[in-house]
Amino acid sequence: MRLTSTGRAARAAALTLALGLAALTPAPPPAPAAAVGAALRSATAEGADPVDFAIVVDQSDSLSDEDLGREVEAAALLAQGEISERSRATVIGFGSSEKPGQSPVREVCPLTVADSAGRQRLSDCVPRLAHRDPARVGPGTDFPAAIRQAVDRLTEKGTPTTPKVVFLLTDGRLDVDDSPEYGADRDSRKANGLKRLADELARARREKVQIWPLGFGRAIDRATLTDMAEGGYRGGCADLPSATPRMRVVADSTGIDKAFQEVFAAARCAGVIPGDSKRPPADLYVTIPPIATDGSITVSKHDPKVTVTYYDPRGRKVPTSGRFDGSTFELSGQDGPVEALRVNDPLPGRWRARVEAPEGHRDREVAVRAIWQGRLRSAVTLDPAAPRPGEKAVVEVRMQTRRGVVITDPAQLTGIKVTAQLAGDGFAPVDVALADDGRAPDRTASDVRFTGTVTVPAGATGALRLTTRMAAPGVTSDLRPLHTQRGEDTPAVVAGLTVDRTTVHPGGTVRGTLSVTNNDSAPHTLRLALADQAAGTELRVDPATVTVAPGSRRDTPFTLEVGPGTPLGDIGGQITAVDTADRDRLLDSTFLDVRVEAPPTWTERWWPLLAGGAAAVLLLGTFLAVRFTARRRRRDLTGTVLELLRDGRTLDRLTVRAGQGQNGTFPFTVEQPRGAAPTLQRARPGAAGTHQLHRTGGGELRLRPYGGREQPVRPGHATGLDDGLDLAVHSPSGTRPDTPTAPRRPTGDGAPTGGTWRDRLPFGRRPAPARRDGGTDDAPAWTRPDGGDGVRDDRRADAGTWNEHF
């Protein structure tokens, strides 16, 4: 496509305007890492729930050294990937006891708190599993002893409410055939081994210890693994099928690490996201979802010589300890086969792990994964806020992260299950069904607001406590109850709150209304308060208190002033109205549906005007370009035929080709070689003896003979040049020009007057030559433009078309 000069200018102007309006926002420099200490403890105060777990690894002789090495790396992956610093872990190897001095179990890592120092200690002790000592551990597979040791450790000095889990990794089946403690012969030992296994599983069930077996290889006894999963404690971290203990089998040891971490995540209600796997040096990527509040990025590097550098989704290198941009970091396992970067409140998005290794240590692929959990806060409202006994109340729940981000995307909570329970004085707890299906009382389906109704039992005598629980794969919620009181039969004060659902800029305001009816004989003062606000949110209620006279009703407008430092995004939490005359009794509450957006930039504010101006410039440029193109077309001489005449007889013709008529002017000369007819030749501008044919912007043809005055030219009519020569100009190809001089009719003898008939034929048409038999051909012959005889070639551009020349 060819652009006119005006079009190019318009586009260049538009591009310049766009570049001038672009705003460049430099990335903020990383803040220095703070000491872990108090900052880390503060960040994890509401972190992932802890879990006490035992990693029990088969060390029997049926495993090859390669398989055992993969078991060790899988154990390290679990120990390093734990997301709570309050969890405790122990690592146990097991085989059998077949002769004096042997023990069926070997505790390589005692029960250790998985904080920063504890995870490093686990990283140092897990590799001991790779060193089998036949003098201490026999070659068999004693499942009962392994489970007994794990249950003993998990139940000592533990918190009763902390989940207890055993992760058992094996390549075979129960084998105590050579263990004297199980009996005098093989048959009795096998039977006694199965009975003791059942006893140990029953004990695990009583002690509320889950068993999650993982088997690999072809010698797996699936029935025994199933019995172990179903024989232990069946309660999981959530009321979800994925959180119920079950056995799992993989084909061989190559899939142990991935499967083991998936089993681990299911047992503690976490999620696992696989990342890249490449040989160093390489960039490995893994994605952390927006709902994650706690997580670990694990790197299975196999070789301690491999080093890893971590970058957040904004491309910034993050510290290995301390705080940075609202997140807390803690690295462990750098000197082991697996290292992990634990992150509290991670920035969601695509993280990068840059792996490097010296020569000689680059032969194995390094894999990155993320294990994460979303620890959500529940925000609950009860309407009415203080229901009376026998009254039906509406319960509404929504969730937000620790940063105050309100969860509004149902895709982030696939498989969610939300329940509530109302408890209080004078009645047994009542379960409440909650749904997000758009059916009353739920207002909108799939808006991540779960709603239901509950009728306060008639026996309620005072305090009420509403507790909600939410569970989804990878997500848990807090259990903070909503406290209120049963309502009086005739309430002294009734209040209702409404707040605009709107979008506001930092420094803006949101309007609301407090409606109050005071049925009492004394005035009441109500106070408006904010609850469940995210860190950094700057909100102020004005007025903060409203006084209502006795026996009156009042609607009071109020505003929420959003401070200039409020973070962008949804404002979480709620606003409440309490009665200061009745010990701050809650009268009503409502969620805040307010989104804070950045104020418009200069570009956004003036963009309509700029866009209109740019459109006007573009239209003007287009208009001028069209005018310019039309003018060029009117002046274009391409295809115009110049015919040189003498006494009405054609001597030569010349066609103007594309690009020869610059700016509507075509220079030419008349060459008169000695002994030959004159010819037309294109000339260079400014050459001696040059004639010029010119077309004006209005399409008029004008001729300026050499040394003469410019004069108009009528198409098809002869105009004098010099030396008795005339010039006729014909329209471009595709039109039928007039001949400069109409030929005369032939006389009776066949000859025209004023010259021969042959001479008067336009464009050299001549009669056919006589045939040898004395006759003539029926069809006329044609002369070519160069004067030769033969059939005319209509394809020649300088000869014009048949219509033009006849």
Side-chain angles (χ1 to χ4, degrees):
M1 181 179 66
R2 183 182 293 114
L3 295 176
T4 65
S5 59
T6 304
R8 287 192 296 268
R11 294 195 178 193
L15 179 60
T16 302
L17 178 62
L19 291 175
L21 295 177
L24 297 177
T25 306
V36 177
L40 182 58
R41 289 192 295 272
S42 174
T44 58
E46 294 187 76
D49 291 328
V51 58
D52 291 344
F53 61 98
I55 304 172
V56 183
V57 178
D58 189 347
Q59 290 183 293
S60 61
D61 278 1
S62 59
L63 277 85
S64 67
D65 290 341
E66 183 181 4
D67 288 344
L68 184 58
R70 289 197 173 111
E71 282 189 329
V72 172
E73 291 187 0
L77 187 64
L78 264 60
Q80 296 304 310
E82 170 51 27
I83 58 179
S84 172
E85 69 164 7
R86 295 174 290 162
S87 295
R88 299 187 303 167
T90 180
V91 182
I92 301 169
F94 75 97
S96 64
S97 176
E98 300 178 358
K99 58 185 179 181
Q102 288 182 339
S103 171
V105 296
R106 179 188 175 202
E107 190 174 289
V108 297
C109 298
L111 196 62
T112 303
V113 177
D115 55 13
S116 178
R119 287 202 303 161
Q120 188 58 52
R121 181 181 179 186
L122 290 169
S123 177
D124 294 338
C125 64
V126 166
R128 298 175 189 169
L129 286 171
H131 306 291
R132 284 181 283 208
D133 186 356
R136 296 182 58 185
V137 180
T141 309
D142 192 340
F143 289 148
I147 292 176
R148 180 170 63 252
Q149 180 74 13
V151 172
D152 284 343
R153 290 294 176 256
L154 295 179
T155 55
E156 66 181 18
K157 299 179 182 179
T159 304
T161 58
T162 301
K164 301 173 180 60
V165 186
V166 174
F167 300 101
L168 188 145
L169 186 59
T170 180
D171 77 326
R173 60 186 66 232
L174 176 65
D175 180 11
V176 292
D177 294 352
D178 296 324
S179 298
E181 66 176 287
Y182 284 94
D185 54 63
R186 284 179 173 267
D187 291 340
S188 62
R189 290 168 184 169
K190 185 173 183 179
N192 290 333
L194 291 173
K195 182 179 182 301
R196 190 172 297 180
L197 177 59
D199 292 341
E200 296 299 339
L201 292 175
R203 180 189 174 214
R205 185 165 57 252
R206 291 193 305 272
E207 298 288 350
K208 296 186 176 181
V209 178
Q210 304 172 41
I211 312 292
W212 290 74
L214 174 64
F216 63 94
R218 298 179 179 179
I220 289 297
D221 184 351
R222 291 174 176 265
T224 300
L225 295 188
T226 301
D227 290 342
M228 285 193 284
E230 296 180 354
Y233 181 60
R234 301 295 288 165
C237 56
D239 186 16
L240 295 171
S242 60
T244 303
R246 64 189 184 278
M247 78 92 177
R248 182 169 177 180
V249 174
V250 293
D252 52 49
S253 63
T254 58
I256 287 178
D257 57 348
K258 178 177 181 292
F260 214 18
Q261 195 170 45
E262 290 172 351
V263 167
F264 180 71
R268 67 157 3 274
C269 289
V272 174
I273 299 177
D276 294 332
S277 178
K278 299 177 182 178
R279 293 181 181 180
D283 289 320
L284 309 180
Y285 293 92
V286 66
T287 301
I288 296 180
I291 203 170
T293 56
D294 304 276
S296 289
I297 299 175
T298 60
V299 182
S300 299
K301 56 186 185 179
H302 315 293
D303 188 338
K305 293 291 185 180
V306 176
T307 60
V308 189
T309 308
Y310 301 89
Y311 297 86
D312 69 10
R314 296 177 182 171
R316 301 171 299 181
K317 179 181 177 181
V318 300
T320 56
S321 66
R323 292 185 61 81
F324 173 68
D325 193 21
S327 301
T328 306
F329 300 88
E330 180 187 276
L331 183 68
S332 64
Q334 288 176 289
D335 297 330
V338 177
E339 73 172 63
L341 181 68
R342 180 188 289 164
V343 190
N344 297 108
D345 297 320
L347 188 67
R350 195 166 178 245
W351 286 69
R352 175 166 64 102
R354 177 65 184 177
V355 293
E356 305 277 356
E359 292 289 346
H361 299 268
R362 301 175 179 177
D363 57 331
R364 296 191 63 180
E365 287 191 344
V366 177
V368 62
R369 298 183 185 92
I371 180 169
W372 62 273
Q373 188 178 75
R375 175 74 170 175
L376 302 182
R377 292 175 175 175
S378 57
V380 188
T381 63
L382 188 63
D383 185 17
R388 297 189 299 270
E391 184 177 12
K392 182 182 289 187
V394 176
V395 180
E396 188 175 14
V397 182
R398 73 176 181 181
M399 300 292 167
Q400 60 191 60
T401 67
R402 287 198 296 264
R403 288 190 172 190
V405 178
V406 178
I407 307 303
T408 59
D409 183 5
Q412 297 180 12
L413 299 175
T414 303
I416 185 174
K417 184 176 181 180
V418 181
T419 58
Q421 187 179 77
L422 181 68
D425 299 335
F427 65 95
V430 178
D431 291 331
V432 184
L434 302 175
D436 183 23
D437 54 8
R439 300 177 182 177
D442 189 54
R443 291 181 291 182
T444 306
S446 301
D447 63 349
V448 198
R449 288 177 177 234
F450 297 86
T451 312
T453 59
V454 60
T455 300
V456 178
T461 59
L464 299 177
R465 184 174 65 257
L466 181 66
T467 306
T468 60
R469 181 189 295 270
M470 186 200 72
V475 179
T476 61
S477 66
D478 59 8
L479 301 176
R480 295 182 305 159
L482 170 66
H483 294 282
T484 185
Q485 293 284 328
R486 55 155 280 183
E488 302 296 333
D489 293 337
T490 304
V493 180
V494 178
L497 283 166
T498 59
V499 181
D500 289 349
R501 296 185 176 188
T502 186
T503 299
V504 68
H505 305 307
T509 59
V510 180
R511 296 178 299 178
T513 303
L514 171 64
S515 301
V516 184
T517 300
N518 185 0
N519 299 314
D520 202 1
S521 59
H524 281 253
T525 298
L526 277 63
R527 185 177 71 251
L528 298 178
L530 298 167
D532 295 328
Q533 296 301 302
T537 302
E538 300 176 1
L539 288 180
R540 190 173 71 89
V541 184
D542 185 28
T545 59
V546 176
T547 300
V548 185
S552 65
R553 184 183 185 283
R554 179 179 176 183
D555 290 339
T556 303
F558 64 88
T559 59
L560 288 174
E561 299 178 3
V562 181
T566 300
L568 304 182
D570 293 316
I571 293 180
Q574 52 190 312
I575 184 170
T576 62
V578 299
D579 187 354
T580 60
D582 191 6
R583 295 177 296 178
D584 285 347
R585 182 168 65 92
L586 178 66
L587 299 179
D588 194 26
S589 65
T590 187
F591 290 130
L592 296 178
D593 286 311
V594 179
R595 183 169 184 82
V596 181
E597 293 184 350
T601 62
W602 182 90
T603 303
E604 294 170 338
R605 194 163 48 245
W606 293 100
W607 179 248
L609 182 60
L610 295 174
V617 171
L618 183 60
L619 289 175
L620 178 60
T622 303
F623 173 74
L624 294 176
V626 171
R627 289 283 305 269
F628 181 75
T629 302
R631 181 180 176 86
R632 288 191 60 183
R633 287 178 179 175
R634 286 196 299 268
R635 298 185 63 186
D636 192 9
L637 291 170
T638 302
T640 302
V641 178
L642 282 66
E643 182 180 11
L644 185 65
L645 304 169
R646 175 176 286 165
D647 297 330
R649 177 184 175 186
T650 301
L651 301 179
D652 193 18
R653 292 182 309 280
L654 178 63
T655 301
V656 181
R657 299 182 183 275
Q660 292 182 346
Q662 296 292 333
N663 299 321
T665 300
F666 179 72
F668 66 94
T669 60
V670 178
E671 302 295 332
Q672 300 190 39
R674 182 175 299 176
T679 61
L680 293 171
Q681 300 289 335
R682 178 191 173 201
R684 295 181 179 180
T690 300
H691 310 284
Q692 289 186 353
L693 179 65
H694 176 68
R695 189 189 295 275
T696 67
E700 180 185 8
L701 288 171
R702 300 184 69 86
L703 176 67
R704 174 177 291 177
Y706 174 71
R709 299 179 59 183
E710 185 175 286
Q711 54 187 305
V713 175
R714 294 179 59 190
H717 291 262
T719 303
L721 282 176
D722 54 15
D723 297 331
L725 297 175
D726 297 323
L727 181 72
V729 181
H730 303 283
S731 303
S733 298
T735 61
R736 182 173 181 176
D738 296 332
T739 55
T741 305
R744 301 178 184 179
R745 293 184 179 273
T747 60
D749 57 2
T753 59
T756 66
W757 174 251
R758 179 187 181 95
D759 292 340
R760 299 300 297 174
L761 283 175
F763 292 87
R765 183 180 179 189
R766 302 180 184 181
R771 290 172 24 180
R772 293 183 179 180
D773 57 1
T776 59
D777 289 329
D778 294 333
W782 295 86
T783 60
R784 292 177 178 166
D786 58 2
D789 292 332
V791 179
R792 166 175 158 75
D793 184 359
D794 286 321
R795 292 172 297 177
R796 288 177 52 96
D798 59 347
T801 66
W802 186 88
N803 285 334
E804 289 176 353
H805 304 313
F806 188 70

